[in-house]
Every structure is written in structure tokens, then in C-alpha cells.
Amino acid sequence: MANTMKTHYLRIPSMLILAAGLVLSSGCGSSLPKTAPVGGRVTYNGKPVVSGTIVFQPAQGRPAMGDIQPDGTYKLTTFESGDGALLGKHRVTIEARNASKPPPMEGPDASNAPPKVEWLVPKKYSNADSSNLTAEVKSGQNNIDFDLPAEPGGSR
């Protein structure tokens, strides 16, 4: 009888571990929000933006990001490469700038010279509060282009 009691008490923790494993493997908390593929082209004053980053920020949830390619095209990623963006409305930012090395300097401060930053599009597009860019992502493939107009006075 002592062996029967001992076996019974050993089964209870094993059953609890098995039950916990079933709950965790059932997908509880592992499903991701629905996304849809998003790609397009970014131009400034009619010409492709050759580098930078574009971000789609939903009202709630994880933002989607993509690198702008030399021909101005982009593809967004939220969770996995190329999966797109969450469905719904988004605020959009575009940060496109080149950091070039300054002319060579001589002396002890030569290595500390900061790179010169040139904005490829007006800086206002890099901030969600000032960009005024929006997009809506729907089920299926989304092709969303952005043609950013030149600013009066030519300032960036």
C-alpha cells in the first residue's frame, strides 16, 4: 500500500507539468496581429529618394519599418522580413539623409570631426507630428507611394 501511495503522489506533479505544457503549447498568447504586405516608392520633387528609412506607426501596436533602396522603393517589416504592416491607419515618417565624411583635417582633432549630414528630404518628414503623412493598410497587397513636394524656398 505504501508503494501505491508513493506512485499516486508522484503522478500529481507529472500531471500538473503535462497540463501546463498543453496550455502553453495551445497557442495562448502566441498569435500575432494580422499584417498585410506593403511596398511602394518614395520620391522627392519627382526624383527617387536614394536611401533612408520609412516607418508606418499605427495608433496602437508595433510600427513597421523599411529601408529605402537606391531606386526609391521600400518594403515594410513588422514581425518577420517583408510581412508588411498592421491593418488600419498609420502615421508615416520618412528619414532620408546622407552622412558624409568631412574633408580631411590635420592635427589632434582630425579623428573627432563629426560627419556632415545632408537631408535628402525636408527634415519635417522624419517626425510624426510634422510629417502630415498618413496611409491605410488593407488586407492583400498594398502599393503605397509617397511623392514629397519641394518646399517653398528650397529649404530642407
Side-chain angles (χ1 to χ4, degrees), residues 40-50 54 68-74 94 96 120-122 125 133 144-150:
R41 190 167 190 219
V42 180
T43 57
Y44 174 66
N45 204 21
K47 297 178 182 165
V49 173
V50 297
I54 185 167
I68 300 171
Q69 303 304 307
D71 64 354
T73 61
Y74 71 91
I94 298 170
L120 302 176
V121 301
Y125 293 116
L133 299 174
I144 303 174
D145 296 334
F146 294 93
D147 185 19
L148 310 175

Side-chain angles (χ1 to χ4, degrees), residues 21-95:
L22 288 173
V23 168
L24 292 175
S25 68
S26 69
C28 183
S30 67
S31 64
L32 297 174
K34 187 157 175 65
T35 59
V38 178
R41 190 167 190 219
V42 180
T43 57
Y44 174 66
N45 204 21
K47 297 178 182 165
V49 173
V50 297
S51 68
T53 304
I54 185 167
V55 178
F56 279 43
Q57 177 65 58
Q60 291 184 335
R62 189 177 204 167
M65 300 176 75
D67 290 329
I68 300 171
Q69 303 304 307
D71 64 354
T73 61
Y74 71 91
K75 287 185 181 178
L76 295 181
T77 295
T78 300
F79 301 106
E80 298 175 356
S81 181
D83 65 352
L86 297 176
L87 301 181
K89 295 183 180 184
H90 297 259
R91 293 170 67 179
V92 178
T93 59
I94 298 170
E95 184 171 321

